[in-house]
Amino acid sequence: MPVWNSLSACRFHILLLSHHVPYLMQIIQGLIKKILTQRIKIVIKLIIGFSLLSYLFIKLDIELTTELLLKINPWIFLLSFALALSRNIFGSFRWKILLNSKNYNPSILSLTKYYFIGIYFNFFLPTVIGGDIARGYCLHSHGVRKKDIISSIIIERVMGIVVLVFLSLFSLSLSFNLINNQTKIMVITLGIFSIILLFFYKKADVFLRKILPYVIISKLHWVNNLIQNTKDYGKTPDVLIYCFLFTILFQIFGVFSTYLISSSLGYSIKFIYFLMLLPIVWIISMIPISINGLGVREGAFILLFTKIGMTKEMAMAISILVLLQAVAQGVIGGILFILRRII
């Protein structure tokens, strides 16, 4: 009898396993497909980024670009890097203000650390908000709800674009007679696009209800809840004002850091040109066709700054040093990510 019972049990488990194997295989195949798809996307974006860079280098005098880089003033460059690092502190204060309004109280030190970790992951995750996902994940591990993290990051992103457009249009108004018509059209077009974006943000939930059937809306209730949670910040104007002010500091420090890079190479140019054109470069670099805007950012920088008389070689030299600083910040973020359980 015991032998018979064992055989019956074995047979039962084999039948059970044979019943579930197809489902298990489907799950495994789905996971493998998802991983491969993500990896293929990353590879494609890397190819696009390096292809764009290669094309730009073909169009340049590489010897002249190298000569410009070798003339760098290291002290001005280090000052520029210090400003680039300090941007993350201003970003952390902005993020803390938003989270405080939702009754969370993370430390500035922790949020700054997550900002650096986000920069690190920007070089690996295949989306334009890869770094935001990484720093949001770090914060979530400390008990902050997902919807509050996502809504705070959305506000940061929207506010960032608003301030970039504001700085660009403000600079355009101060230097209207100094630039050509093509550059004016670019800046004004950017402003119109951003106003449309802001209108959509304000009316997003109404827009979704109008264009989507009720059945779909009911299944996407979490999207509507997220939009509502984001719009709740509008009920606290003081939070948005402080957030706006810190965003201005965040963006101006970034612009001034890049301006100092040009100064470190001995290039003399009015600061207002950087204040007007660099926001456009940053917005263009958000187009998610390469990893962390690689190639797109450099191409946009060369395209816009050559319009005001800068040589292609100087524009590329500045772009290379900006990329070098971003990589250095990413290395800091990588170290902090490895040591995140200790620090």
Side-chain angles (χ1 to χ4, degrees):
M1 286 295 291
V3 175
W4 176 254
N5 288 338
S6 297
L7 288 171
S8 298
C10 262
R11 189 174 156 195
F12 172 76
H13 285 299
I14 289 168
L15 286 170
L16 187 66
L17 188 61
S18 65
H19 178 72
H20 286 286
V21 161
Y23 298 104
L24 289 170
M25 288 304 295
Q26 284 179 11
I27 292 168
I28 292 168
Q29 286 172 358
L31 288 171
I32 292 171
K33 187 178 179 181
K34 191 174 181 180
I35 292 167
L36 287 174
T37 302
Q38 290 297 324
R39 288 185 177 179
I40 290 168
K41 283 181 181 178
I42 292 173
V43 171
I44 290 171
K45 289 188 175 187
L46 281 172
I47 290 170
I48 291 171
F50 282 112
S51 297
L52 288 170
L53 279 180
S54 300
Y55 174 77
L56 293 173
F57 274 113
I58 289 169
K59 296 290 184 180
L60 296 174
D61 184 335
I62 297 176
E63 260 188 56
L64 180 55
T65 306
T66 306
E67 283 177 21
L68 290 170
L69 289 169
L70 291 174
K71 291 178 181 177
I72 188 170
N73 182 320
W75 299 111
I76 298 178
F77 180 73
L78 285 174
L79 177 59
S80 164
F81 186 52
L83 289 179
L85 292 174
S86 65
R87 286 184 80 206
N88 297 313
I89 299 173
F90 289 120
S92 299
F93 272 105
R94 175 183 63 185
W95 201 12
K96 183 176 173 63
I97 290 167
L98 292 170
L99 292 169
N100 282 165
S101 70
K102 298 289 185 180
N103 299 316
Y104 301 107
N105 192 30
S107 68
I108 291 295
L109 184 63
S110 295
L111 294 179
T112 304
K113 181 172 70 174
Y114 300 154
Y115 254 94
F116 279 108
I117 290 173
I119 294 170
Y120 168 69
F121 276 99
N122 267 335
F123 287 97
F124 302 102
L125 296 180
T127 65
V128 71
I129 56 168
D132 293 335
I133 294 169
R135 63 188 173 100
Y137 173 79
C138 290
L139 188 60
H140 179 60
S141 64
H142 289 276
V144 181
R145 291 183 302 177
K146 286 180 184 177
K147 68 173 186 176
D148 292 327
I149 294 171
I150 295 171
S151 61
S152 67
I153 290 173
I154 289 172
I155 287 291
E156 278 191 313
R157 280 283 176 173
V158 172
M159 194 71 73
I161 292 173
V162 169
V163 170
L164 286 175
V165 173
F166 168 77
L167 291 176
S168 191
L169 292 175
F170 176 73
S171 305
L172 175 65
S173 67
L174 296 179
S175 56
F176 200 78
N177 297 323
L178 299 177
I179 57 174
N180 57 43
N181 290 331
Q182 190 178 2
T183 308
K184 289 173 187 173
I185 291 168
M186 281 183 177
V187 176
I188 293 168
T189 303
L190 176 67
I192 293 170
F193 172 77
S194 301
I195 291 167
I196 293 169
L197 181 68
L198 280 176
F199 176 78
F200 177 77
Y201 160 71
K202 292 289 288 181
K203 302 292 183 181
D205 54 332
V206 178
F207 182 75
L208 284 175
R209 282 198 294 269
K210 283 186 177 180
I211 66 167
L212 296 178
Y214 175 77
V215 177
I216 297 176
I217 285 290
S218 62
K219 291 184 181 296
L220 295 177
H221 64 279
W222 61 273
V223 176
N224 196 50
N225 290 341
L226 178 61
I227 292 169
Q228 289 296 340
N229 196 47
T230 305
K231 290 178 69 177
D232 283 345
Y233 285 108
K235 298 174 184 176
T236 52
D238 55 328
V239 170
L240 294 181
I241 290 169
Y242 283 122
C243 185
F244 184 78
L245 293 175
F246 273 109
T247 304
I248 289 175
L249 289 172
F250 179 84
Q251 303 294 14
I252 286 180
F253 265 58
V255 173
F256 196 60
S257 172
T258 309
Y259 172 75
L260 285 178
I261 288 177
S262 73
S263 298
S264 73
L265 295 173
Y267 190 77
S268 178
I269 185 175
K270 290 182 178 179
F271 175 71
I272 199 161
Y273 286 130
F274 277 89
L275 203 58
M276 178 175 57
L277 298 178
L278 207 52
I280 303 175
V281 173
W282 288 341
I283 291 174
I284 292 173
S285 68
M286 292 178 189
I287 300 171
I289 61 171
S290 69
I291 297 294
N292 201 26
L294 185 67
V296 179
R297 176 180 51 250
E298 290 75 20
F301 195 95
I302 291 171
L303 173 68
L304 290 171
F305 279 84
T306 51
K307 300 292 183 188
I308 57 168
M310 185 182 286
T311 65
K312 290 184 288 185
E313 289 74 19
M314 177 58 75
M316 177 54 87
I318 294 170
S319 296
I320 289 170
L321 293 175
V322 169
L323 179 60
L324 183 64
Q325 287 190 355
V327 170
Q329 291 186 72
V331 170
I332 294 170
I335 294 168
L336 290 173
F337 179 70
I338 293 168
L339 301 176
R340 69 190 184 283
R341 303 295 182 191
I342 303 170
I343 301 175

